[in-house]
């Protein structure tokens, strides 16, 4: 999301590549894909080439178990990358993201002069993230997102999304348990089973749902 934001602010074309998108079982095809990516970026400049989880593609080359084809891919990527750096007028930027920066090859680290540590969101930013995730959810009036943000210290954006998904499941579980009891009672009394609930019967989310989900 940060990389896309950079591309948007810069008015640049965004090219997202991954190991699966450029690797091939055919010898030499991966190198051709890398060349094509850099050629496309140059033709559509200004552009940003973004490599997510870059350690999977450009990790250390000292590993003796690494396949020779993988080393050729890395070398091809860095050769094309160097080609960009030698042209002063080239408006192509390579951005990369990783959770394991120490696993990167030293040659890659040298080519990345600016490194940014993206920390976990603080309480005010967690509240903003929750507002975005819950924008279309039905909440009771006493739901205080500031309180939810304060009880989720150390949560990432992904953790907050999972928290909201878990909280949103509780009203569904309540309906399922209610239906189960009603059907059991109808069966015991020899009555026809009651009609199944619809989405309109879902109760809004409350603070207890978030408290339960955060534990």
């Amino acid at each position: 999301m940060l990389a896309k934001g950079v591309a948007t602010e810069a008015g640049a074309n965004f090219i997202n590549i991954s190991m699966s998108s450029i690797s091939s079982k055919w010898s030499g095809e991966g190198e051709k894909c890398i060349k094509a990516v850099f050629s496309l970026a140059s033709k559509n400049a200004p552009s940003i080439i973004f490599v997510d989880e870059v350690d999977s593609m450009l990790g250390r080359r000292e590993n003796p178990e690494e396949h020779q084809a993988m080393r050729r891919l890395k070398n091809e990527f860095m050769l094309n990358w160097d080609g960009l750096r030698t042209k002063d007028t080239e408006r192509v930027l390579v951005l990369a993201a990783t959770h394991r920066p120490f696993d990167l090859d030293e040659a890659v680290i040298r080519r990345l002069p600016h490194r940014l540590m993206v920390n976990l969101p603080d309480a005010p930013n967690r509240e903003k993230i929750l507002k975005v995730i819950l924008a279309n959810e039905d909440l009771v009036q006493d739901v205080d997102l500031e309180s939810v943000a304060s009880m989720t210290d150390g949560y990432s954006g992904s953790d907050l999304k999972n928290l909201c998904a878990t909280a949103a499941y509780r009203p569904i579980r309540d309906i399922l348990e209610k239906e189960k009891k009603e059907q059991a009672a109808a069966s015991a009394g020899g009555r026809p089973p009651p009609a199944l609930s619809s989405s309109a019967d879902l109760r809004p989310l409350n603070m207890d749902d978030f408290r339960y989900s955060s534990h």
Side-chain angles (χ1 to χ4, degrees):
M1 294 299 292
L2 286 170
K4 287 181 181 178
V6 169
T8 302
E9 289 295 318
N13 292 301
F14 186 76
I15 302 174
N16 188 3
I17 65 172
S18 63
M19 194 66 229
S20 60
S21 65
I22 61 171
S23 58
S24 171
K25 66 179 181 178
W26 306 110
S27 179
E29 284 300 311
E31 291 92 321
K32 287 181 182 177
C33 287
I34 289 173
K35 262 186 183 175
V37 166
F38 279 88
S39 177
L40 178 67
S42 295
K43 288 177 182 176
N44 292 282
S47 55
I48 290 176
I49 298 173
F50 176 62
V51 188
D52 200 4
E53 301 299 347
V54 67
D55 56 282
S56 67
M57 183 189 300
L58 300 174
R60 295 182 179 274
R61 287 174 289 181
E62 302 93 84
N63 184 4
E65 298 178 3
E66 184 178 64
H67 197 278
Q68 194 64 33
M70 190 63 213
R71 293 190 185 186
R72 290 200 302 268
L73 270 180
K74 292 176 184 179
N75 290 337
E76 184 67 31
F77 191 97
M78 285 188 275
L79 281 170
N80 283 273
W81 195 352
D82 283 339
L84 292 178
R85 287 150 56 91
T86 58
K87 301 173 185 175
D88 295 335
T89 57
E90 194 70 80
R91 295 184 300 160
V92 178
L93 178 69
V94 175
L95 278 181
T98 179
H99 291 288
R100 304 175 64 91
F102 300 108
D103 288 349
L104 289 176
D105 193 273
E106 289 181 6
V108 175
I109 294 173
R110 285 198 301 270
R111 288 167 170 80
L112 293 169
H114 300 291
R115 287 158 230 162
L116 302 174
M117 174 69 180
V118 181
N119 292 313
L120 292 170
D122 56 13
N125 281 308
R126 287 197 299 274
E127 183 181 355
K128 290 177 184 177
I129 292 170
L130 287 167
K131 284 179 180 177
V132 171
I133 296 172
L134 298 168
N136 297 318
E137 293 296 325
D138 189 13
L139 308 175
V140 297
Q141 284 190 337
D142 72 338
V143 170
D144 182 8
L145 293 184
E146 185 178 352
S147 296
V148 178
S150 66
M151 71 174 74
T152 52
D153 186 37
Y155 277 48
S156 67
S158 178
D159 293 332
L160 292 172
K161 188 175 181 180
N162 291 333
L163 168 82
C164 294
T166 304
Y169 179 70
R170 290 195 78 211
I172 298 173
R173 190 183 66 181
D174 290 347
I175 280 186
L176 292 176
E177 289 177 354
K178 178 186 170 188
E179 285 181 350
K180 188 176 179 181
K181 289 178 183 177
E182 289 176 348
Q183 287 174 357
S187 178
R191 301 188 304 273
L196 296 176
S197 303
S198 68
S199 58
D201 298 315
L202 284 174
R203 65 170 175 78
L205 298 179
N206 57 41
M207 283 298 291
D208 285 339
D209 294 328
F210 291 104
R211 291 192 191 98
Y212 173 85
S213 303
S214 64
H215 295 316

